[in-house]
Structure formats: structure tokens, C-alpha cells
Amino acid sequence: MCTGRVDLSFILRAFSNGTDGVFIGGCWPGECHYITDGNIHALNMVNLCKKLMEHIGVNPQRLRLEWLSASEGIRFAEVMNDFGNQLKNLGPLGIGEGIDQDELKSKLQEVTKLIPYIKLVKKDKLALRLKEEEYNELYTSDEVDRLFSEVLSYYIDPDKCQACQICFRRCPVEAIEGGKNQIHVIDQDICIKCGTCFEVCPPRFAAVNKISGQPVPPPIPEEQRTIVRKSKGKGGG
Amino acid sequence: MEKETAEGQLLKIPADGNFGDVLVVGGGISGIQAALDLATSGFRVFLVDKAPTIGGKMAQLDKTFPTNDCSMCIESPKFIECARHPNIEILTYTEVDSVEGNAGDFKVTLIKKPRYIIEDKCTGCTVCVEYCPVKVPDQFNQNLSSNKAVHIYFSQAVPLVTYIDENCLYLKDKKCSICVGACKNKAIDLHQEAEKVEIKVGAIVLAPGYEIFDPKLRGDYGYGTMENVVTSLDFERLLCATGPHEGEILRPSDKKHPHKIAWIHCVGSRQVTPGGNSYCSAVCCSYIQKQVILAKDHDAEMQAAIFHNDIRSYGKDFERFYQRAEKLPGVKFIRSYVSIGKEIPETKNITIIYATDEDGVKEEEFDLVVLGVGLNPPAAVKGLAEKFGIELNSYQFCKNNPVNPIETSRPGIFVSGAFQGPIDIPESVVTASGAEALCGQLLARRRGKLAKERIYPPERDVSEEETRVGVFACHCGANIGRVVNIPSLVEYAKTLDNVVHAEEGLFICSTDAAEQIANTIREKGLNRVVVAACTPKTHEPLFRDTLREGGINQYFFDMANIREHCSWVHSREKEDATQKAKDIVRMSVARSALLQPLQEFDLPVNKTALVVGGGVAGMTSALSLANQGFEVYLVEKEKDLGGMARRLHYTLEGLDVQAYLQDVIRKVYQHQLIHVLTDATITEVSGYVGNFITKVQSEGRIKEILHGAAILATGAAEYKPTEYLYGQDDRVLTNLELEEQITKREERLINSQSLVMIQCVGCRQEDRNYCARICCSQSVKNALKLKKINPQMDVYILFRDMRTYGFREDYYREASNKDVKFIRYEPRNKPQMEAVEEGGQSILKVTVTDPILGQELAIAADSIALAAAVIPSAGSQEISRLFKVAMSPDGFFQEAHVKLRPVDFAAEGIFLCGTAHYPKHMAETISQAYGAAGRAVTLLSQDSVRASGSVAEVNESACIACGACTAACAYGAIQFEDTKQGKKAVVNPALCKGDGLCNAVCPTGAVSLKHYTDEEIFRQIDAAVPDVAAAR
């Protein structure tokens, strides 16, 4: 396992658990013990994470990535002491920022839920290979704010869905309810907004709508989901 | 030459003989490595040590330079590997009595000395030690503390059984036998007698190591008469947590912390006065720097003075290590001969008299003086040589073949480790692997005939069981136990969910403790094991093996590091450290519940090897492999074989390099199993350990080579100086050009009245911060040659430190005696040179400031030789990219572990040797080439290799083929395959190295790294702050 294995969700999980700071240690650039430069992957991810923290009002200084080799015991101690002092100065998570604990919790939950979406939308940027210092500028606050304001959702138009089950089968997280002759419905709590349903819905039905920055219409009630084919008219009971 | 003898011997071995066995004499790190490599490659090994345990000198060291790894911590897993290896029989407290026969067919008589303990019955419980009334100085602790007449040599000893030494009252005059009654297992037999054991072996590896120089023999250091004068080995024990004062540095006279310590270099080395050794002991400079760094770690206020005469930091990363020591506050490196002044009666402080260029003669007082003692041949070396029928050199070390330092004067008997001469740990390991290769050449046809396979109990299916975690907390001697309250940790562990058993141990890694864990797994029905101890980096393989012994899947193991991550960093905050240890263990236990059984799988091994680079290193490796019966492809980018050696003509020791080289080239071309590809470029490398596919372009065609292992020996290059008018004035030569002109007897050169050699050109400076190792000896070599050809010539060598380490020191002295003038310069005051007209003649005027005279000297030179640095070869970078192997910051190949895996890459199945690793002399290159061949054979001799179970896997239904994982994987281990549900990512587990980058970028959670899954890590994160997490 490598520093590059550290997942956005690990960091957010730690903050959700009330941890005041998260420290990640990585091998020095150019000294990757694999050949993968996972340390640089981690640097990229950490820069993104800091912007996410900023977006929800958490001080990004609570997350720190440092390069340390196994032989740098003294430096490691210095860095940790420094980080410890820094956190003490910042105060407890949320209180230091002046955010209400419940609000903080729900914001962290919101971001956590969006992690798959963020990974997907920022896929290309997360894979970029740049010079070490260039990562600092890679993500902007505007960009992250937009990420949230323009967040996509997918909605299956009950009027168009023919219950062909393609999206139902292909959804990677099993967020689509439905079955034979049952109009498909996306469970927005499970959906990771990957767009697979949108991609695979046969063009002749075009039942999946992409919604950006707008609220998603409520799901069609369960008792109205059965399609009666003989009527040739509208779906629904 | 010698090889032909060996091959000749091979034919005489009776075809039905069973002499595939090898005797390894000496159980230090070199003997251990030789035994492990031999046993793994299919020979049965008798590992004999005269001490009551294996381990040798390395076991006594606190840390190792230049990485400051804990010495015992990296060595002791190898003890257990030896003990567990089915092909190794360890015979401790045993001496060799006689050796008869010839290569391939030796009869060896061993004498097993009475340890007065029945080894099979002793459990190592040490009750007898408690009862024994006789206190004796503890040899392992350099007599700085006491032990009992019955004791275990050290806590990690293998075998972990006691022995009774000659101080026993019963053995002396039958007075006491209290231990016999105390032993519940009736393991003590005071009437035991020496036992003769006769074994038949095909080859012998001598690894008896060295003794330290005994400064008592010379009255002038005060050792033995002044209490606060200790040797460097004494000081190792003082530094060590398992030492006389549990890692506190206390001086002998009053057991107080010394605040001002002096180290004296070259004690017993580089001395031609009676009682001293003329050679340089090669390791002392770096070990002293290590001791200074460690002593400063112990006491940041400590003042240190290091008295030296040249700092010989010639090894890989030694120069930086020296700089690290030198930069420490309160540390002074002083270039001066010294003498011990007096012991001050009241304080027992010691004064040292020394002289500096600036201040003249001074006398200074120190609390403690450490003597940097050199390396002597092993004890009773003459008897040893007689027994084995081998010759010794003039220094009483083993006489070896100049073109194969691993061969002794007797066929079938090989030498590894410091019996070759003063060498450090990596070289001892390299020569051990090399000895394995040479045994393999001799006994190739018998490989595997006597080998046994390790058999484990069947693996228990625990899928239906409830989780049952066992926690084992280690004191690590005093390393952990002194800081962390282990009993309290154990009690705490018992309160954690799923924990059904928790216990403590002094050294959980010792053989008996490991066995005990295996038993507990069975008896208590454990299905998860957490060991709270040191680092998984060194000890995880050992404990995983223990789980297999206990009959459960090895991946049900987790290690909680409460040493590096806790006790070592919080030594002054015992309570907080104990709390932290509890936190670490709680997280580990939480994770362990989710661990899944994983299967490692077998990959077949292609028995062909690829050797990249046709210089001396590559050719030697290729020949060794081929002589052991393996097919080899030897790839060389030039059109001729030979590499850098084509430009060498003679060595310091007088070898005719070209004659030797031609002989090797002929053998390579003549060998049926070696395919030579010259003018060749490697264009592509794919595959993995045991199954590589390499495309080579040669003579206009591309050849695809399938091979199981690769040895990279791409060599080095000579730096092209930009300094000192090089390239502008043809009287300015590099060392290699000088050698060429000397060989051709170039008239202009030979008739020079005056020649100046300038050392360290292009290295030991900011942009190339390393010592090129060979240049000092090269310059001495050329100077001697020039003096021989033209005794009238004035030869000057302008140097920073003369680094003629080891036996080369004698040539330095010889040059000095022959009036070669050595003038030291400081890096801030480099020699200056200009071409000037003087008396109508054009000369090169060199000015240099002599620090001793404090004056600027001007030398009129007819020729200049620059000791141009050895730099990485142009091709190495590309080769490292193709084979995906690591490079050091200086551009040399980076071995897997500086000390113990010196010719392995971290990437499995790929090995390295020669100057691509670091500059080195030809004999060293040859040793390393055999070492690399030996290591490769431990792989090639197998039919299959195991691949880790901790690899990525894809949950197909969750994969949306977004490509994030394939982009992240540098190993090309993930690819898309078409399925009914569209494209899906698929992991090739043989290529996956388990870094887990794919897991971190996968948006849908389709990719997961087994053994480090999201759920396992979440569980650990949640357990870090349980109260908050529980409230979630």
C-alpha cells in the first residue's frame, strides 16, 4: 500500500469522526518505493481536498501532507510537533471555524456523498502529471464552488421510461429501482451521478434526463409504476 | 582458470554420490546469507558456528550505517528464517575438527562442544539462569555487564537455549548443581561430553568473520587501564537498548552520562609500528560517524571530537552520512594524530594530546574516549587455515584469487564475508550470495536432490467462525517495555471487541515465542492475530509464517507498530505513550476483524536469464549462471564485449586486465548456454517475476526474449571534466587516458619531469555529492607505474582525503615511500592551474595551498592527470525506466535494501551488479557479479514463485469503464475487457504490486485493494477516535 492509496473519503471520514487534523506522510518525490509516484497522486488529491474543505468552511490547514523518508526521524518529530501546535492554535474542528456542529456534520456528509461524483468529474485532473509546485494552483475555489452549484443529477422521466431494464442492470451502485414492466426510478440517496443510465438509455426512449443545479422531481409513487402495455397509451395504472 | 579446476572436479564426483550438501562455517550475517541462498536454491546446508548462537558481530551492533537501521532488528528475522528453513541444519557451539577429501566430496569432522544442556528439552525459560549463583562478565555485552554461568547468549538467540560456560562451579570443582534441580524439563546435563559429528559435503563456505583489534595489546591507548577508554564495539553495546544499561550511555567509571566524548580513528589500522595493522580497516570511518549521530540522538547537548586522518567515506551514500555527522552542533572533526595524555584521578576523565594546523599542540579533557578499533583476522586463524588446507595472505586474512575474491587457494572451499579482508555488511552479503553461485557451479547437477520442501499444517476454514482475535504485545527487550506499560496494554487489549486472548512477551520475534503464538492459535482457536511490536517492514513475513504454522491464513495478521511509532518517539512521556499504544492496538484489532483470507498464487518460472551489459560484471554473471546450467541472453549496446574494462590495463595489485578480459570474453562466446547480442538496444520490457518478455533490437532485427530473471549491469562512465583546461590542452588527461598513455609508453608523458594528479574532479561537490571510490587507488596505481618507468619523474597527488581503503593502503604507503608527493587541499581552496611560458617552455603551473605548511605551493607540471569522477552511464536511466526499477538521487541503481539486499532490486526478479550500482574496483565488481548470479539462481532454481495476495480486484458490476484506474496504474496491471455489460476493468494479479492507486481514484468503488480495502481502513479510522465515531 502506498500514500497514493489514501482516499478522499478517508480524510473526510476522519473529519466526520471529529478528528481535528489529518496528517499524511509520503516518500520524497523521486523516491517512490513503487514506480508509480503515488506520493504525487496523494499531493494532487490533497490539494483538491483542501479546496473542498475550504468550500464547506473547514480550515484547510487541518490537512497536511509532508514528504518524509524513513531515515528522517528528527524531521518527522519536528513536523508532527509543529502540526500539533498548529492544530492547538486552530482549536477544535468546527469550533475553531465558528461553524455549528450539526451544520458541519451535514456539510461533511454532503461532500462525502459527492466523492464519487467529484472523482469522476475531476478524473482527468486527478491523473495529471505536473511539476510538484504546479499542483498548488491546480484547483481553484471558483472551480470547486461551481462543482457544487452545478452538480448534476439524473432523473428518469416516468412518461418516457419503457422499463427496458438496461439502466437498471448497468447502474454500478444499484441505485435504480425497477423491474419488468416497472417504471425505473433512481434512488437519489444512492446515486453517484456517474451518468451510466443516461449513456445507456436507448436513444429512442431518451428517458433519462440530466439535471444541473436544479432540484430533482420527486419519484413517481410506487403504485403508479406498473406499465400496462396493451393500452398503448401512457404508462401507469 | 580456477573455474576449469572446479569443472574438472565436478567430473570426478561419483554420479550416485549424495554430496549435494554444503558446509557453511560461521553464522554471522555472511554465513547466514550464504546458508539461506544455498538452501533456497536447492542445497542442504550445515550452518556451523562456534558461538552458542548464530548472529556473529552484526548482532552486537546497535545500528548500521548509513541508514541507521537497527542492526538486530534487520538481522534477527534471518535467524528465524534459517531456523525454519527445511534445508538448513544449524549446529551452534560447534567447531570444525578436520577436513578431508576434495571438491565435491569432502568429509568433515565436527566437534559439538558440550553446552551441558539438552537442546531438545530446553525451552529457553531461563529459570536456571535465575538460580545460578555465579556471576560472570557478559561477553555479548563486551563484559560491560554481568550474566550467569548458565545463560542464553542474547534474547533473540537461535537456538534459544541456554549454555553453561567454564565458570560453572560444578564444572570447576563439582560444587554446585542448583540449576539441575531448578530445571523442570530436566534439560541440564552437567556430564555432557563433546560429541563428534561426521558429515559429507560437496563444498565449503568459510565465513568465520573477523575479530576486532585488541587495543590492550598496545599500552598506548590506555584501554584496560583507564576505565573510561572503551572500544567502538563496547560503545555499540552502550548505545544499544539491549546493552548493559538498556540504551543509556553511561561511562564505566561512575555510570554517569558522558557529555564530552572523543573518538579516535585508525586504532590498530594504518599502522606499521609493531602491534598494528598496516591496512585500513575500511569500516571505521563510517561506523564512527554513525556512533556520533546516535550519541547525539541520545544526548543533544553532547560534545564530540573525532580525531581522524582522512575521512574515508567511499561507499554509497557514505559522503552524505559524513556530512550529516559533521553538521551536527557540537561535533568537531579534527584531522590529527593523537596520543592519550593522562587519566585525571578525581574525575577519571581522559586527556588527549593532538595538534591542529591552526592551534598547534593541545591537550584536551574528555569524559569518555572511544577507540575506533580496526578489523583483525578471525581468532586462531592459522589453525583454521591448516584445518581447511587453505593459504593466508600476508595480513593473515584468507588468500584469494585476485580475479575471484570468493575463491580460496583450495578448490571447493569458498570464502565470504570479512575473512576476505576488511569489508562492510553489504559486501559480506554480496560475497555470501557469490559463494552460493560458486557452490552452484561446482554442484549444479546435484541441486535439489537433497532439498526438502517446507510443509505447513492445513489451513483452517474460519468462514463460519465468530471473530477471535489474539493480541501479542512485545517488550522488544527494553525498546518498548521501558516506555510503554505492556501489562496495562495487555489488560486493555482484553477488553476490546472480539479479543479472546492477549499476552506479552520479551521478544515476540524469538523462535520460541513465535512457536508459542502458533500453539496459541491452535489451542485458543484464534482466527485473527495482532502483534503489537515493531515494524511490519522487517517482521511481517515472520509473523505471517507463524500464522501458517498455526494453521490459519497468513493474511489474518495485522501488526501494530508500537515501537517506531510509539516508544521510540515518546521515550520521555511514558503514560501518554502507553495510551497511544492502546490506541494503535485498538485500531489494529478493529481492522483485523474484517481481514479476509487471501491466497497467494504460484507463477511459473522461466529458467532463462537476461543479462544487460557486457562488461566484466555482466559477463561474469552470465558465465556463472551458464555454468550452473541456466540459459543466458547477454545484451550489450556496443559492438564488442568488455565495457569499461577495455580501457583498463593493469590493477593496483598487478593483474593484466586485457589478458584477463580476453579470456573472459572467449569463455562467454564459447559457452553453449550464452547467447550474445551486441550492438543491441532494449526497446520494450513487459511481464513480471519469472516471466519477463524483453524485446531487443540487434543487427536490424527485433528479438523477443522470454526470461525469468534479469541482471542489470549497465556500468558507469568517466566524467568529462570541464575544469583544468581539459579538452583544451592535451597535456591534461583523465585517469583512464593516463593509463592508456602509460601502457603505450607515450614518450611525451613518460619523459615528463613533473606530473600532477588532481583528485576529486567532478565529485564530492554539490551537484555530484558522492565519492567515486576508486580514484584514489587509481591514482596511486598510476603513480607507482610512472615511478617504475621513470624514477626521476616528480609525481604529485593533490587530494582531499586519500581513500585507499582496505589492503590498498599498503600501495599508498609504498607510493609515499617512493617519493610520490601527497599534498592535501581543502575544497574551498581547490588547486588552480594555468598554462604559462617559463624559460621559453610551455608548462602547466599548478598552485595549491598546503594546509600543513599554510603556504601556497606552485608546481610546474608537464602533465596533469585528473581523477575524473565515475558517473552513471548514459544508458542506465533508460534501462531503469524500461525495467521499472529504482534509481538513487545520484543516478545509480537503487538496491532493495542497502545492507541486506545489496544486489536485489525492490522489483522482484531483477538484480544488479557492477558500477551501475556504484563505482567500484574490478575485484569488487566481480564479487558482486557472482552475488547477483547467486541471487538470480535462488529464483531460477524454483519451478514457481509466489505472488502476494494483496492485489487489486474489480467488482465487475460496479465498473463503468471510466479509465481512472488504468490511467493510475504504472504497472499496466489493469486493462479493459469487453463483456456483455460493456467494457470492464480487469486486474492481472501477476503484474499488480498492490500500491492501491487504482482504489483511490475509482469513483464507483469497483476497484478494491485486497487486504487494504476501504472498509478495513474505515474501521481503523473509526477506531482511532472511538467515542466520536460511535456517536455518528
Side-chain angles (χ1 to χ4, degrees):
Chain A
M1 188 171 108
C2 165
T3 311
R5 167 73 184 91
V6 178
D7 202 298
L8 265 179
S9 58
F10 298 167
I11 300 168
L12 293 170
R13 178 74 153 233
F15 286 126
S16 300
N17 285 351
T19 311
D20 295 320
V22 173
F23 179 86
I24 302 168
C27 300
W28 282 92
E31 293 182 14
C32 182
H33 286 205
Y34 296 93
I35 53 159
T36 51
D37 295 331
N39 42 3
I40 301 297
H41 273 265
L43 174 65
N44 189 329
M45 181 276 296
V46 160
N47 276 304
L48 174 58
C49 192
K50 285 186 169 193
K51 290 290 173 200
L52 296 174
M53 290 163 69
E54 219 176 82
H55 177 81
I56 59 168
V58 173
N59 192 328
Q61 289 183 355
R62 293 188 186 276
L63 173 61
R64 184 150 163 186
L65 170 70
E66 290 277 357
W67 308 136
L68 291 157
S69 88
S71 58
E72 294 179 306
I74 294 166
R75 198 180 101 82
F76 183 48
E78 283 168 4
V79 167
M80 291 314 289
N81 284 331
D82 183 61
F83 189 46
N85 288 332
Q86 196 183 351
L87 290 176
K88 273 182 200 144
N89 291 334
L90 290 178
L93 179 71
I95 296 169
E97 282 86 350
I99 319 178
D100 173 69
Q101 288 297 319
D102 289 337
E103 190 191 339
L104 177 69
K105 206 170 178 176
S106 74
K107 280 186 166 173
L108 281 165
Q109 267 172 8
E110 186 198 355
V111 184
T112 303
K113 193 168 169 282
L114 276 183
I115 289 175
Y117 175 71
I118 297 168
K119 280 187 183 176
L120 202 62
V121 177
K122 297 294 167 200
K123 188 183 77 188
D124 294 339
K125 267 196 164 177
L126 282 168
L128 277 181
R129 282 291 154 272
L130 306 170
K131 286 198 189 115
E132 199 188 332
E133 57 279 5
E134 291 172 333
Y135 284 98
N136 297 331
E137 312 294 322
L138 187 57
Y139 302 98
T140 64
S141 304
D142 275 0
E143 175 185 2
V144 170
D145 292 344
R146 242 190 355 263
L147 183 82
F148 282 87
S149 63
E150 296 170 5
V151 66
L152 291 177
S153 298
Y154 293 90
Y155 172 72
I156 300 174
D157 187 339
D159 293 338
K160 293 184 182 167
C161 177
Q162 296 301 316
C164 70
Q165 300 192 71
I166 293 178
C167 65
F168 167 77
R169 287 203 194 99
R170 293 286 291 273
C171 174
V173 292
E174 296 175 20
I176 299 178
E177 297 164 14
K180 206 175 175 187
N181 293 332
Q182 290 286 310
I183 292 173
H184 302 344
V185 174
I186 298 174
D187 182 337
Q188 298 295 334
D189 283 339
I190 303 175
C191 174
I192 59 165
K193 308 171 190 304
C194 68
T196 302
C197 48
F198 181 77
E199 300 287 330
V200 300
C201 183
R204 61 180 188 279
F205 304 147
V208 181
N209 295 339
K210 196 192 265 188
I211 300 171
S212 173
Q214 299 290 321
V216 179
I220 174 173
E222 278 191 37
E223 61 277 12
Q224 295 171 24
R225 292 185 190 175
T226 307
I227 298 177
V228 184
R229 304 255 178 215
K230 279 173 192 164
S231 73
K232 296 230 167 184
K234 275 186 180 179
Chain B
M1 302 169 268
E2 265 62 23
K3 201 165 299 136
E4 275 143 5
T5 333
E7 280 158 7
Q9 291 289 351
L10 183 65
L11 301 175
K12 288 181 205 154
I13 302 168
D16 57 343
N18 63 342
F19 308 114
D21 307 63
V22 179
L23 169 67
V24 177
V25 184
I29 186 60
S30 194
I32 286 174
Q33 186 65 42
L36 286 171
D37 283 344
L38 281 160
T40 304
S41 69
F43 296 108
R44 195 173 139 75
V45 179
F46 297 99
L47 176 58
V48 172
D49 199 315
K50 65 180 193 306
T53 173
I54 56 173
K57 286 281 186 301
M58 188 178 168
Q60 278 184 286
L61 306 181
D62 180 39
K63 304 268 159 66
T64 58
F65 62 80
T67 48
N68 287 355
D69 276 320
C70 161
S71 189
M72 181 63 96
C73 310
I74 58 175
E75 195 192 17
S76 64
K78 294 203 177 262
F79 302 168
I80 299 189
E81 225 183 302
C82 281
R84 287 183 174 177
H85 206 298
N87 288 355
I88 298 178
E89 186 168 336
I90 299 174
L91 296 147
T92 51
Y93 223 43
T94 299
E95 308 229 21
V96 175
D97 186 48
S98 66
V99 179
E100 290 166 45
N102 295 304
D105 182 12
F106 288 111
K107 193 172 92 183
V108 181
T109 314
L110 305 170
I111 307 256
K112 233 173 138 18
K113 294 180 280 186
R115 64 194 304 155
Y116 305 103
I117 301 291
I118 303 161
E119 284 189 33
D120 300 341
K121 288 191 181 172
C122 177
T123 62
C125 70
T126 67
V127 169
C128 54
V129 183
E130 279 165 38
Y131 280 87
C132 176
V134 188
K135 275 197 172 180
V136 298
D138 188 348
Q139 264 186 308
F140 178 68
N141 271 338
Q142 293 289 102
N143 303 335
L144 292 167
S145 61
S146 65
N147 213 321
K148 298 291 186 65
V150 55
H151 70 278
I152 292 177
Y153 201 65
F154 53 78
S155 307
Q156 297 92 332
V158 167
L160 194 77
V161 292
T162 52
Y163 76 108
I164 297 176
D165 72 15
E166 68 282 358
N167 297 299
C168 167
L169 296 177
Y170 186 87
L171 297 178
K172 271 185 177 163
D173 36 33
K174 308 218 181 309
K175 265 189 185 151
C176 157
S177 56
I178 191 166
C179 56
V180 178
C183 180
K184 292 206 174 85
N185 277 21
K186 309 235 174 300
I188 297 174
D189 173 9
L190 293 169
H191 302 283
Q192 215 173 44
E193 284 182 10
E195 218 180 301
K196 258 192 183 180
V197 183
E198 205 170 87
I199 55 170
K200 289 186 166 189
V201 294
I204 296 171
V205 177
L206 285 179
Y210 65 92
E211 282 302 320
I212 60 163
F213 174 80
D214 182 1
K216 257 187 214 145
L217 299 176
R218 302 251 312 248
D220 50 355
Y221 291 109
Y223 188 68
T225 56
M226 300 180 186
E227 282 183 88
N228 292 326
V229 176
V230 299
T231 67
S232 44
L233 195 56
D234 298 341
F235 196 70
E236 290 287 337
R237 296 314 302 150
L238 287 172
L239 283 168
C240 191
T242 60
H245 312 301
E246 298 184 341
E248 276 196 75
I249 305 173
L250 304 178
R251 60 183 203 154
S253 71
D254 51 11
K255 307 284 183 285
K256 284 191 179 147
H257 291 275
H259 297 297
K260 198 172 170 200
I261 308 180
W263 276 265
I264 301 177
H265 276 235
C266 300
V267 173
S269 309
R270 303 181 66 189
Q271 296 174 334
V272 280
T273 45
N277 296 318
S278 68
Y279 53 83
C280 158
S281 288
V283 294
C284 323
C285 283
S286 295
Y287 80 55
I288 286 174
Q289 289 150 21
K290 171 193 74 179
Q291 295 189 340
V292 171
I293 293 168
L294 296 174
K296 283 293 275 187
D297 269 357
H298 282 245
D299 173 11
E301 303 303 312
M302 191 268 297
Q303 303 279 312
I306 299 97
F307 298 99
H308 70 93
N309 171 34
D310 296 321
I311 293 294
R312 297 191 160 172
S313 298
Y314 58 86
K316 196 170 186 172
D317 272 335
F318 288 9
E319 187 75 20
R320 286 192 180 88
F321 193 64
Y322 164 48
Q323 289 158 357
R324 181 175 156 197
E326 200 206 6
K327 279 185 194 140
L328 289 170
V331 171
K332 285 185 295 183
F333 278 77
I334 301 166
R335 190 183 289 266
S336 171
Y337 289 107
V338 298
S339 62
I340 299 282
K342 55 181 178 287
E343 182 182 59
I344 294 168
E346 302 80 46
T347 57
K348 300 269 181 185
N349 284 357
I350 312 287
T351 67
I352 290 181
I353 302 163
Y354 64 99
T356 60
D357 302 337
E358 297 82 27
D359 305 334
V361 178
K362 272 172 84 171
E363 182 164 5
E364 196 175 340
E365 196 178 322
F366 293 92
D367 299 346
L368 182 72
V369 173
V370 183
L371 305 178
V373 288
L375 273 48
N376 271 11
V381 67
K382 281 190 178 152
L384 182 103
E386 265 170 41
K387 239 177 254 176
F388 288 93
I390 55 159
E391 291 172 40
L392 299 175
N393 63 21
S394 61
Y395 312 104
Q396 306 290 298
F397 282 90
C398 185
K399 183 177 177 185
N400 47 19
N401 178 351
V403 291
N404 185 351
I406 302 165
E407 281 184 350
T408 68
S409 55
R410 184 170 178 185
I413 300 186
F414 305 100
V415 54
S416 80
F419 187 33
Q420 288 188 349
I423 53 175
D424 63 4
I425 293 170
E427 287 170 286
S428 300
V429 171
V430 165
T431 49
S433 299
E436 177 235 343
L438 288 157
C439 291
Q441 286 179 214
L442 179 68
L443 307 169
R445 296 179 199 176
R446 304 178 184 285
R447 195 190 297 282
K449 296 239 169 86
L450 289 157
K452 284 190 258 174
E453 284 276 317
R454 180 95 177 272
I455 295 160
Y456 292 96
E459 206 171 283
R460 201 171 88 217
D461 176 11
V462 307
S463 55
E464 301 299 316
E465 296 175 11
E466 57 181 28
T467 307
R468 295 174 66 82
V469 184
V471 177
F472 299 86
C474 183
H475 284 262
C476 194
N479 268 305
I480 300 171
R482 190 178 45 185
V483 178
V484 173
N485 183 336
I486 296 287
S488 142
L489 176 65
V490 169
E491 285 315 306
Y492 174 75
K494 285 179 182 163
T495 66
L496 295 170
D497 282 353
N498 301 323
V499 173
V500 297
H501 177 82
E503 68 173 71
E504 60 192 273
L506 189 61
F507 285 101
I508 302 252
C509 59
S510 65
T511 323
D512 69 326
E515 240 179 70
Q516 190 52 42
I517 294 177
N519 290 336
T520 309
I521 291 169
R522 279 189 290 269
E523 284 160 18
K524 307 250 171 176
L526 303 181
N527 51 30
R528 302 288 188 284
V529 173
V530 170
V531 168
C534 54
T535 164
K537 215 176 159 186
T538 53
H539 282 64
E540 191 176 60
L542 166 74
F543 291 117
R544 282 191 176 172
D545 198 69
T546 302
L547 265 68
R548 293 179 78 183
E549 290 284 356
I552 56 174
N553 187 282
Q554 56 177 326
Y555 287 88
F556 284 136
F557 173 71
D558 195 46
M559 201 147 180
N561 188 341
I562 58 167
R563 192 180 70 180
E564 280 84 343
H565 292 178
C566 190
S567 70
W568 276 0
V569 271
H570 307 298
S571 55
R572 288 179 196 91
E573 304 114 315
K574 296 186 182 179
E575 275 183 28
D576 287 346
T578 302
Q579 184 53 51
K580 179 169 168 182
K582 289 177 182 173
D583 294 343
I584 294 171
V585 167
R586 182 178 64 244
M587 290 166 73
S588 198
V589 167
R591 168 170 182 255
S592 74
L594 290 181
L595 293 175
Q596 292 298 311
L598 300 177
Q599 292 314 317
E600 304 201 320
F601 54 101
D602 288 338
L603 301 167
V605 174
N606 181 315
K607 304 265 180 183
T608 303
L610 174 78
V611 177
V612 185
V616 167
M619 288 193 293
T620 305
S621 287
L623 272 171
S624 179
L625 289 167
N627 283 334
Q628 296 182 71
F630 298 99
E631 195 173 1
V632 183
Y633 285 88
L634 179 62
V635 175
E636 166 58 44
K637 70 175 189 310
E638 303 290 336
K639 66 177 194 298
D640 294 307
L641 294 176
M644 186 70 99
R646 298 178 70 84
R647 300 180 67 189
L648 299 173
H649 300 275
Y650 44 89
T651 64
L652 189 57
E653 295 81 5
L655 176 80
D656 179 344
V657 178
Q658 289 309 307
Y660 169 71
L661 187 65
Q662 292 317 313
D663 184 50
V664 175
I665 292 174
R666 182 182 56 78
K667 281 180 181 157
V668 165
Y669 275 113
Q670 284 178 354
H671 209 296
Q672 288 181 341
L673 289 175
I674 302 179
H675 311 282
V676 180
L677 299 169
T678 48
D679 249 332
T681 318
I682 294 181
T683 56
E684 197 184 319
V685 181
S686 59
Y688 41 87
V689 55
N691 302 277
F692 293 101
I693 305 161
T694 299
K695 287 185 183 161
V696 183
Q697 186 166 17
S698 171
E699 293 165 354
R701 275 181 312 196
I702 289 198
K703 189 171 172 56
E704 196 174 83
I705 299 168
L706 306 180
H707 55 106
I711 294 177
L712 307 185
T714 46
E718 192 186 42
Y719 165 65
K720 251 199 183 339
T722 53
E723 302 92 333
Y724 301 111
L725 301 179
Y726 180 80
Q728 299 164 41
D729 190 312
D730 58 11
R731 291 168 296 179
V732 182
L733 310 168
T734 64
N735 264 353
L736 280 175
E737 291 161 352
L738 174 68
E739 186 166 336
E740 186 76 43
Q741 294 203 3
I742 292 174
T743 308
K744 288 186 181 152
R745 298 292 189 272
E746 194 78 43
E747 250 177 67
R748 194 202 57 77
L749 177 83
I750 299 302
N751 296 328
S752 294
Q753 283 178 12
S754 161
L755 181 140
V756 174
M757 300 181 177
I758 302 175
Q759 300 303 112
C760 302
V761 175
C763 61
R764 295 189 70 193
Q765 60 192 35
E766 211 171 307
D767 61 339
R768 228 172 268 114
N769 192 6
Y770 63 89
C771 162
R773 185 178 180 118
I774 60 168
C775 329
C776 284
S777 309
Q778 296 290 326
S779 294
V780 166
K781 170 183 96 169
N782 290 333
L784 283 170
K785 201 80 169 181
L786 286 166
K787 276 289 191 185
K788 198 171 171 192
I789 299 167
N790 177 3
Q792 308 308 317
M793 189 189 296
D794 288 324
V795 181
Y796 299 86
I797 298 184
L798 312 186
F799 70 100
R800 287 174 56 186
D801 294 277
M802 278 311 285
R803 293 182 166 174
T804 44
Y805 58 93
F807 298 148
R808 293 167 193 86
E809 180 70 7
D810 278 356
Y811 297 95
Y812 171 28
R813 189 174 299 106
E814 187 188 338
S816 188
N817 291 341
K818 290 201 168 139
D819 212 24
V820 172
K821 293 180 184 65
F822 290 87
I823 302 169
R824 191 167 65 80
Y825 71 87
E826 293 283 342
R828 59 171 188 278
N829 230 343
K830 284 188 180 173
Q832 302 295 318
M833 191 186 82
E834 54 183 339
V836 294
E837 296 287 325
E838 222 167 68
Q841 276 187 318
S842 163
I843 57 146
L844 296 161
K845 191 176 136 199
V846 181
T847 47
V848 59
T849 307
D850 183 328
I852 302 174
L853 304 172
Q855 282 178 5
E856 196 167 84
L857 304 177
I859 308 163
D862 304 315
S863 301
I864 301 283
L866 304 178
V870 181
I871 59 172
S873 74
S876 290
Q877 186 81 40
E878 176 64 7
I879 290 295
S880 91
R881 195 187 62 75
L882 283 163
F883 282 90
K884 297 172 180 146
V885 292
M887 293 210 108
S888 72
D890 297 321
F892 294 103
F893 286 149
Q894 185 64 56
E895 60 272 37
H897 188 278
V898 179
K899 284 288 171 189
L900 298 186
R901 292 180 66 194
V903 291
D904 299 13
F905 276 110
E908 280 177 285
I910 310 176
F911 307 89
L912 58 107
C913 62
T915 52
H917 161 256
Y918 195 69
K920 52 179 65 69
H921 291 288
M922 209 166 84
E924 294 169 334
T925 288
I926 293 167
S927 271
Q928 214 187 13
Y930 280 110
R935 293 293 299 154
V937 166
T938 60
L939 166 64
L940 295 173
S941 59
Q942 312 296 318
D943 292 326
S944 59
V945 285
R946 308 232 93 184
S948 167
S950 174
V951 291
E953 69 178 346
V954 178
N955 170 7
E956 222 176 68
S957 64
C959 176
I960 56 169
C962 69
C965 57
T966 50
C969 184
Y971 296 102
I974 309 189
Q975 274 170 349
F976 286 127
E977 275 178 18
D978 284 317
T979 72
K980 275 185 189 164
Q981 300 298 324
K983 278 205 286 185
K984 299 285 177 185
V986 178
V987 176
N988 178 347
L991 288 175
C992 176
K993 295 283 175 269
D995 58 44
L997 264 51
C998 49
N999 196 156
V1001 296
C1002 178
T1004 65
V1007 188
S1008 66
L1009 175 62
K1010 292 195 259 187
H1011 206 56
Y1012 299 98
T1013 63
D1014 287 352
E1015 291 69 28
E1016 284 163 2
I1017 293 172
F1018 281 143
R1019 193 62 85 83
Q1020 216 170 344
I1021 295 170
D1022 291 350
V1025 275
D1027 305 340
V1028 195
R1032 271 162 48 93

